[in-house]
Amino acid sequence: MARDGVILATHADALAQAAARLRAGELVAFPTETVYGLGANARDPEAVARIFAAKGRPPSNPVIVHVADPNGAHAIVAEWPQTANTLAHAFWPGPLTLVLPKHPDIPAIVTAGGSTVAVRCPAHPIARELIRLAGVPVAAPSANRSGELSPTTAAHVARSLGDRVGWILDGGSCPGGIESTVVAVTPNGVKLLRPGLILETQLQEIVGDLIVTEPVSNSTKPLPSPGMLTRHYAPRTALEIVEDEAELLFLMNLYHTAGLKVACWQPKGSPVEVATGLYAELHALDAGGFDRIIAILPPNHDDWQAIRDRLTRAASPE
Ligand code: TXA
Ligand code: MG
């Protein structure tokens, strides 16, 4: 067996050895098309407990179970309604997470004691091959300390978790850059729990209108998501959000006068391009020794919903 550390996923046998570690109850961080995940055998409650310990994650926050193909989802859930099938057909493998009634065999720690389980079939070839070789469903939250920025490179994982994870499979940068969209599939319809790479409009095209919980598209208020603290996805440097350049200049002036070192971030490019670079740019600013980061929110439009959500949560005081 290779020693602990960052292992190139292209290295011969790396995936087979990582799969063996997962089966043995150990943690393995691995790339997905969204962000890096911190994986454990979802059927092994002790292994899943190691995820919570490594991340410092509140036990009330359930984790997503990753499967190698849509068939793998059937063993995780108690029901597989037609809507789930339609959504899986449209978006899997890919960055959509479905919340459904849980199968009794899934340990309670995975679902934070709740009756539903989140399941997703990632599109990244390394993630899929790893899960397939492990032969078990893989519980995997983002591979960072709880509340911090998600990792989009193996180096980000190493910086956040250090020796709390023995093995990090290095598959380069994650192409998506932000997390999956999370939806609950209920008898009353589909409810958006976390905006993400799959847009609300894309979901509507497949399943019609979603259940409305609060006006999300014209609000900067973070969405409710069970078990999730309001402050999340946050750099260690204090981050503030503004709606436009005028507000940015006002704050910059104020802070410069006070002698503070301020960095600013603004969206450059399409929503897809901005998502890809968002966390990597924030990680870099975080390492830059600034007193404050000020971020200009992208336009209040469906295309930008997930990025506005992440920045709003990152700026949340608690
Ligand atoms: O793209 C992603 O989703 C990444 C990669 C690794 O797959 N994973 C990820 O996991 O972002 P995590 O744990 O950082 O975020 C999972 C989100 C949390 O907001 C959690 O509250 C929600 O999914 N979630 C998990 N299980 C749930 C459940 N049973 N009901 C409602 N929300 C759930
Ligand atoms: Mg996370």
Side-chain angles (χ1 to χ4, degrees):
M1 270 249 165
R3 292 223 317 277
D4 284 3
V6 177
I7 316 289
L8 271 182
T10 45
H11 189 270
D13 291 340
L15 287 177
Q17 289 192 35
R21 285 184 171 235
L22 283 176
R23 273 197 307 274
E26 292 179 40
L27 302 183
V28 173
F30 61 96
T32 83
E33 76 279 23
T34 60
V35 300
Y36 273 72
L38 180 61
N41 177 358
R43 297 204 178 282
D44 177 348
E46 283 177 23
V48 178
R50 285 184 193 111
I51 294 181
F52 282 82
K55 280 181 64 89
R57 187 176 177 98
S60 56
N61 195 3
V63 296
I64 298 173
V65 178
H66 296 66
V67 294
D69 53 50
N71 280 337
H74 301 168
I76 309 297
V77 299
E79 290 161 35
W80 185 249
Q82 185 54 41
T83 309
N85 213 40
T86 309
L87 284 169
H89 202 253
F91 298 110
W92 281 4
L96 179 69
T97 297
L98 303 177
V99 173
L100 289 156
K102 97 183 225 333
H103 191 283
D105 289 352
I106 293 297
I109 188 169
V110 172
T111 64
S115 60
T116 59
V117 64
V119 61
R120 138 169 150 81
C121 174
H124 198 293
I126 293 172
R128 297 192 76 192
E129 186 62 3
L130 175 68
I131 302 163
R132 194 186 68 75
L133 289 171
V136 294
V138 176
S142 51
N144 52 276
R145 302 262 183 118
S146 187
E148 289 189 353
L149 285 170
S150 295
T152 58
T153 65
H156 294 161
V157 179
R159 209 178 306 149
S160 186
L161 292 175
D163 56 10
R164 294 172 175 215
V165 52
W167 256 48
I168 306 168
L169 276 178
D170 186 353
S173 293
C174 300
I178 59 169
E179 304 80 358
S180 64
T181 304
V182 181
V183 297
V185 179
T186 79
N188 303 325
V190 174
K191 189 158 129 190
L192 184 64
L193 298 177
R194 178 178 72 181
L197 287 173
I198 303 288
L199 303 179
E200 196 172 341
T201 45
Q202 289 177 277
L203 296 169
Q204 282 165 343
E205 277 169 27
I206 306 294
V207 295
D209 282 344
L210 308 187
I211 299 178
V212 180
T213 39
E214 62 177 280
V216 287
S217 56
N218 58 6
S219 164
T220 57
K221 246 184 97 192
L223 287 166
S225 183
M228 180 178 266
L229 305 167
T230 311
R231 181 177 167 83
H232 221 90
Y233 313 110
R236 292 174 188 181
T237 313
L239 182 142
E240 255 176 285
I241 46 173
V242 293
E243 288 283 352
D244 54 40
E245 221 159 289
E247 240 185 293
L248 172 81
L249 290 174
F250 175 79
L251 278 183
M252 294 268 286
N253 253 324
L254 206 71
Y255 290 141
H256 280 153
T257 312
L260 297 182
K261 199 176 159 206
V262 184
C264 55
W265 179 93
Q266 55 186 318
K268 290 197 195 92
S270 68
V272 169
E273 288 162 347
V274 171
T276 301
L278 176 70
Y279 290 140
E281 290 161 18
L282 291 179
H283 275 290
L285 292 179
D286 212 8
F290 294 98
D291 299 304
R292 267 194 141 63
I293 301 169
I294 307 176
I296 305 184
L297 288 172
N300 194 350
H301 183 269
D302 180 66
D303 290 3
W304 293 104
Q305 193 188 1
I307 291 163
R308 283 179 70 94
D309 172 76
R310 300 303 186 273
L311 288 169
T312 306
R313 288 187 198 270
S316 174
E318 58 184 49

